[in-house]
Amino acid sequence: MPTENTGPERVMFGRGFNVWIMGIDGTWRRSCVLKGISASDAELELEGSIEGLNLKEFFLLLSSTGLAYRRCELVRVNGTEIQVRFLKTKNKATAGRPGNRDERMAS
């Protein structure tokens, strides 16, 4: 009988994928390797020390230009490897829903 997968589907990269982490305020940036990723979290291997970095909340940059990114928080540290959880962003589309616009126009 097959077992049911209850967790998020994770994609693991054999050689890893070069990415960066960057502070929310943009004052620091570090190279790292993306080892695995799912819809809700990721596993990273850092290059260099994380000492002194504010990892409570930061960006995971998936492109060198910073156009593809996810907002993250630190979950676990194991030597040079860290696990991060993706934070949900506020949906700007709900602010401009037609129902809201119609209600404003009626008042």
Side-chain angles (χ1 to χ4, degrees), residues 48-94:
S49 173
I50 62 171
E51 190 174 332
L53 300 180
N54 182 5
L55 292 176
K56 178 178 170 130
E57 198 170 320
F58 57 95
F59 290 113
L60 171 61
L61 305 175
L62 301 170
S63 73
S64 60
T65 59
L67 296 176
Y69 64 91
R70 294 294 303 261
R71 195 173 193 135
C72 304
E73 69 179 347
L74 182 65
V75 174
R76 178 181 62 85
V77 177
N78 183 13
T80 61
E81 295 182 0
I82 64 171
Q83 184 173 3
V84 300
R85 177 180 317 131
F86 299 136
L87 299 174
K88 300 208 184 280
T89 58
K90 294 180 182 178
N91 188 358
K92 293 180 183 178
T94 59

Side-chain angles (χ1 to χ4, degrees), residues 2-42:
T3 59
E4 189 173 318
N5 183 3
T6 58
E9 186 175 329
R10 179 175 301 280
V11 176
M12 299 302 291
F13 301 103
R15 293 185 180 176
F17 185 74
N18 292 327
V19 294
W20 300 265
I21 57 174
M22 181 178 77
I24 291 292
D25 59 1
T27 57
W28 59 267
R29 180 171 161 162
R30 295 287 186 276
S31 296
C32 56
V33 176
L34 179 64
K35 300 301 247 176
I37 192 166
S38 74
S40 61
D41 64 357

